[in-house]
Amino acid sequence: PAPAPAGARLAGARSAPDLGGVRAALASGALVRSWPLRSTLHLVAAEDLGWLLALSTERQLRGAASRRAGLGIDEALVERARGVVVDALAGGRRLAREEVLALWEEAGVLGDGPDPGTGRGTGRVPQRGYHLLWTLSQTGTTCWGPLLPDRAGAGASDQQAIVLLDEWVPAPRRLEREEALGELARRYLASHGPASLADLVRWSGLTVREARAGLALARPHLEALTCGGTEMLLDPATPERLARCRDDARRTLLLPGFDEMVLGYADRSATVPAEHAAAVVPGGNGVFLGTVVTGGRAVATWRRTGRRTGRRTGPPVVATAFDGGDDGLAPAVAAEVARLGAALPT
């Protein structure tokens, strides 16, 4: 039977916003994973992946040209890699990442070419396989789809299969470029507003000109306010949504390292005090540590210290307060760890 429209499948997943709901959305094809923005992996609605890629692919490929050259990748090699993958996956087949890499290695795609005696590849150039996977996904040939079975065959693992995008998402939503810019701007401000033009540029990877064009189309659906001389835009429903969850948002929360509350803005000072920004991204290398947020403000970073054996009740963590003290932080962190642990599968 034909699958239900992706929008309907995603609506079903939204009604169960937990790990099981995410797994079900991946299995049904409502959600996929790829690199549509900033060369960063995103989990997106399957029907939206195509138009998101179309906004960024050309710029992303230009930006990776020197990296491709350094890995010995030219267009001919990309097309060889694409041919191997299409042949292996056509007809709805699914492969793990290592299975794709093994096929490329055998075909001489990852090394210096087939050995004359055996016809097999001569090894792997480090990172060439990853970059080829990125390139094929960036250009719309593949994406990360459903979860693969675990080794025991008793259920799903945590590893996604590589699938052909046009087979796994047979009815993508198609938008003209200007319409796509407006849609991206509207969605960003609906989920992140109040936010500024600079925030949109930083989060999306669009140019300032593209972001302005998107805002011009999205503006009729938005409200504006001025904060510190900067125009901020938001969905009109945002204040009511915030009011409904304000008490819950003020409690102590453990956010992962790349949570949108921190990562989603150019100016993060509303959440992370400017004087402590380096503690969240030590070395300025783009790797964000997890943050402890209380009352909507980051007060500490946190990290795992290991996992308990047996029945898991939550990963033990240690928090490091920005001011070097504790101020009663430990009990609140322990309570949040326990709450999260109870929500995770054993």
Side-chain angles (χ1 to χ4, degrees):
R9 288 176 276 148
L10 190 57
R14 286 177 179 144
S15 68
D18 55 17
L19 185 58
V22 172
R23 288 179 179 272
L26 290 170
S28 71
L31 288 178
V32 294
R33 198 165 59 125
S34 192
W35 291 268
L37 300 171
R38 307 190 312 274
S39 292
T40 301
L41 276 168
H42 285 71
L43 197 66
V44 301
E47 63 185 3
D48 292 329
L49 179 56
W51 64 263
L52 285 170
L53 286 172
L55 284 178
S56 64
T57 291
E58 184 178 348
R59 185 181 302 111
Q60 304 290 1
L61 291 176
R62 284 201 309 267
S66 61
R67 179 60 173 154
R68 269 201 309 276
L71 293 172
I73 297 174
D74 58 17
E75 289 305 313
L77 187 67
V78 170
E79 292 311 312
R80 282 177 57 200
R82 196 189 312 275
V84 171
V85 164
V86 170
D87 287 346
L89 294 177
R93 293 191 290 272
R94 311 167 183 182
L95 291 175
R97 170 178 168 167
E98 280 303 317
E99 290 175 314
V100 171
L101 294 179
L103 289 174
W104 280 341
E105 186 170 357
E106 185 173 353
V109 170
L110 299 186
D112 297 325
D115 181 274
T118 66
R120 298 179 63 84
T122 57
R124 298 184 182 183
V125 175
Q127 293 299 305
R128 183 185 282 185
Y130 175 86
H131 193 86
L132 286 169
L133 285 172
W134 174 85
T135 301
L136 295 191
S137 291
Q138 190 69 53
T139 52
T141 297
T142 59
C143 68
W144 297 95
L147 295 170
L148 291 162
D150 62 23
R151 292 181 178 179
S157 69
D158 290 330
Q159 183 181 10
Q160 283 178 266
I162 297 171
V163 293
L164 293 179
L165 178 58
D166 62 354
E167 289 188 352
W168 189 243
V169 188
R173 187 181 181 196
R174 301 190 185 279
L175 302 178
E176 296 297 327
R177 186 171 184 83
E178 289 298 308
E179 185 183 5
L181 290 171
E183 182 75 357
L184 183 61
R186 184 189 66 78
R187 291 195 191 188
Y188 171 74
L189 290 159
S191 57
H192 292 70
S196 67
L197 170 66
D199 292 325
L200 172 60
V201 170
R202 170 65 183 82
W203 177 85
S204 67
L206 297 174
T207 66
V208 173
R209 178 180 293 183
E210 289 171 330
R212 288 189 188 278
L215 284 180
L217 292 172
R219 191 174 288 273
H221 307 284
L222 304 170
E223 290 183 353
L225 55 88
T226 300
C227 182
T230 299
E231 182 185 53
M232 312 290 282
L233 295 158
L234 68 157
D235 186 288
T238 297
E240 182 181 347
R241 291 202 303 267
L242 291 176
R244 289 200 303 267
C245 65
R246 191 171 301 280
D247 289 343
D248 197 42
R250 283 176 171 159
R251 62 184 176 80
T252 297
L253 302 168
L254 297 184
L255 302 185
F258 295 95
D259 192 89
E260 287 290 309
M261 187 171 176
V262 176
L263 185 68
Y265 303 89
D267 180 357
R268 302 179 178 113
S269 58
T271 302
V272 180
E275 64 271 24
H276 299 303
V280 177
V281 193
N285 59 2
V287 178
F288 288 67
L289 301 183
T291 51
V292 181
V293 173
T294 298
R297 296 277 281 176
V299 298
T301 59
W302 67 270
R303 62 179 177 83
R304 297 189 185 197
T305 58
R307 292 188 176 184
R308 300 177 185 176
T309 57
R311 184 180 179 86
R312 187 173 72 179
T313 59
V317 305
V318 61
T320 303
F322 291 152
D323 59 11
D326 184 274
D327 297 329
L329 191 61
V333 169
E336 181 65 0
V337 169
R339 185 188 72 83
L340 292 172
L344 292 172
T346 56

